[in-house]
């Protein structure tokens, strides 16, 4: 392994095609304003390093990034790369992760619109994320203790598990498939429209018009507050532990709820069974 300590790089493709490189306390920054510093590289470890230039980690394999800062000027930092570990790092450039696979992230701070698009096998734990269109069309996701804020998250996602997460979002999980959410808080409007095989277990849910046009929707012991016009045209089996403001035209399945302020059943195709349990 070749090691660089406290070095600065600003030229175009500064370390292009490297293999077996360790960087410690380095800077990708400077007047030459070069791009693609470590493109087409492998077996790379980067510690305590500032990335302030565009496209540093494209088409890389076996990449470790720890305690680094990828600034707003570090656009599109990781694309088309695989076998990636990112630890205690700030990723603040737009489109920071795209079409990558086998990614593990822990203790990271993400502020990146369009993060994670079309990536596969991504695990995140103890991370904070601010984004729009977060994880669009990604698959095989595992998120634990992720605090997320932003619109249009997890759209078209396939095969994901979220645990102990907090999501402040809107239009989340649209067109998603095979997603399970456990012990999480979800605040947001128009949740999970057009989703397929979405399961929520012991979650706290709030926001207008959740769960419309869903197929194979399951809620197990979930709280729903400030939720109105829920379950329209959905196939749903739900056990809800709190009153719901209103339920509208669920098409099939069974909904058990302590009470509903209003049941709107004005569509002949709405055949779901609604059990009002009275809190028992």
């Amino acid at each position: 392994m070749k090691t660089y300590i406290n070095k600065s790089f600003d030229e175009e493709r500064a370390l292009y095609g490297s293999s077996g490189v360790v960087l410690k306390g380095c800077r990708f920054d400077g007047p030459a304003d070069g791009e693609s510093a470590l493109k087409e590289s492998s077996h790379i470890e980067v510690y305590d390093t500032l990335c302030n230039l565009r496209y540093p980690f494209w088409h890389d394999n076996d990449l470790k990034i720890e305690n680094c800062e990828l600034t707003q000027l570090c656009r599109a930092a990781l694309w088309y790369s695989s076998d990636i570990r990112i630890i205690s790092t700030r990723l603040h450039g737009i489109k920071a992760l795209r079409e990558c696979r086998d990614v593990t992230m822990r203790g990271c701070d993400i502020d990146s619109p369009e993060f994670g698009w079309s990536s596969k096998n991504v695990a995140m734990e103890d991370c904070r994320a601010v984004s729009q269109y977060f994880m669009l069309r990604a698959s095989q996701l595992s998120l634990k203790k992720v605090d997320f804020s932003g619109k249009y998250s997890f759209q078209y996602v396939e095969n994901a598990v979220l645990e102990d997460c907090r999501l402040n979002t809107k239009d989340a999980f649209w067109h998603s498939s095979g997603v399970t959410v456990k012990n999480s808080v979800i605040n947001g409007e128009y949740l999970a429209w057009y989703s397929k095989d979405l399961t929520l277990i012991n979650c706290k849910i709030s926001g207008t018009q959740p769960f419309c046009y869903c197929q194979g929707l399951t809620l197990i012991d979930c709280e729903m507050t400030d939720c109105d016009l829920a379950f329209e045209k959905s196939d749903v089996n739900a056990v809800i532990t709190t009153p719901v403001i209103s339920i509208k035209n669920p098409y099939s399945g069974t909904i058990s709820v302590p009470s509903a302020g209003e049941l709107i059943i004005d569509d002949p195709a709405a055949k779901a069974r609604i059990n009002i349990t009275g809190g028992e």
Side-chain angles (χ1 to χ4, degrees):
M1 300 286 282
K2 184 173 183 179
T3 301
Y4 297 91
I5 300 175
N6 298 330
K7 299 292 185 181
S8 293
F9 305 91
D10 68 345
E11 62 268 31
E12 185 84 4
R13 296 191 174 192
L15 296 172
Y16 175 84
S18 295
S19 180
V21 168
V22 177
L23 297 106
K24 297 181 178 180
C26 294
R27 297 175 64 89
F28 292 95
D29 191 21
D33 196 32
E35 301 174 352
S36 305
L38 282 155
K39 186 175 181 180
E40 302 278 5
S41 295
S42 61
H43 313 303
I44 305 297
E45 298 180 13
V46 187
Y47 302 97
D48 305 303
T49 289
L50 175 73
C51 298
N52 199 42
L53 300 173
R54 299 167 298 283
Y55 325 135
F57 305 109
W58 282 40
H59 297 282
D60 290 346
N61 176 255
D62 188 13
L63 171 65
K64 182 179 181 181
I65 302 171
E66 184 170 351
N67 199 33
C68 294
E69 181 175 2
L70 284 59
T71 71
Q72 288 184 337
L73 297 180
C74 184
R75 296 174 57 91
L78 296 103
W79 284 35
Y80 315 117
S81 294
S82 62
D83 192 9
I84 303 163
R85 292 158 291 164
I86 309 175
I87 302 165
S88 301
T89 289
R90 297 175 65 185
L91 299 94
H92 284 193
I94 190 172
K95 306 177 184 179
L97 185 79
R98 182 172 294 191
E99 295 197 44
C100 292
R101 60 182 175 85
D102 302 329
V103 182
T104 300
M105 304 183 68
R106 187 175 73 249
C108 292
D109 184 271
I110 301 160
D111 193 341
S112 176
E114 303 179 22
F115 182 91
W117 285 20
S118 299
S119 292
K120 184 176 182 180
N121 193 23
V122 179
M124 300 176 64
E125 187 170 359
D126 291 318
C127 292
R128 169 193 170 271
V130 177
S131 186
Q132 292 187 8
Y133 293 102
F134 185 68
M135 293 293 179
L136 179 72
R137 298 189 187 278
S139 62
Q140 294 179 247
L141 304 181
S142 174
L143 277 65
K144 296 181 180 179
K145 298 181 181 177
V146 172
D147 190 334
F148 172 78
S149 296
K151 298 178 181 178
Y152 321 125
S153 57
F154 305 103
Q155 293 194 357
Y156 294 95
V157 159
E158 295 183 358
N159 302 324
V161 177
L162 290 78
E163 299 182 65
D164 300 311
C165 293
R166 180 174 291 272
L167 310 179
N168 290 291
T169 186
K170 178 180 178 180
D171 295 355
F173 301 110
W174 277 45
H175 298 278
S176 65
S177 176
V179 174
T180 299
V181 186
K182 304 176 183 179
N183 306 318
S184 296
V185 177
I186 307 173
N187 301 313
E189 302 172 346
Y190 317 116
L191 176 63
W193 286 30
Y194 310 106
S195 63
K196 182 178 180 181
D197 298 330
L198 171 65
T199 300
L200 298 100
I201 303 169
N202 194 31
C203 291
K204 297 181 179 180
I205 301 154
S206 64
T208 189
Q209 299 182 54
F211 305 120
C212 299
Y213 307 97
C214 300
Q215 299 178 44
L217 174 66
T218 303
L219 279 71
I220 301 172
D221 296 334
C222 290
E223 299 180 16
M224 295 181 66
T225 58
D226 299 322
C227 293
D228 62 337
L229 305 174
F231 305 118
E232 185 174 10
K233 298 187 178 182
S234 287
D235 166 41
V236 51
N237 285 288
V239 176
I240 303 164
T241 62
T242 55
V244 176
I245 293 173
S246 58
I247 294 172
K248 183 175 182 179
N249 291 330
Y251 268 14
S252 60
T254 301
I255 300 168
S256 296
V257 60
S259 65
E262 185 177 13
L263 297 178
I264 304 168
I265 310 297
D266 55 13
D267 183 338
K271 303 294 186 181
R273 180 179 178 183
I274 301 173
N275 296 328
I276 303 299
T277 66
E280 298 179 2

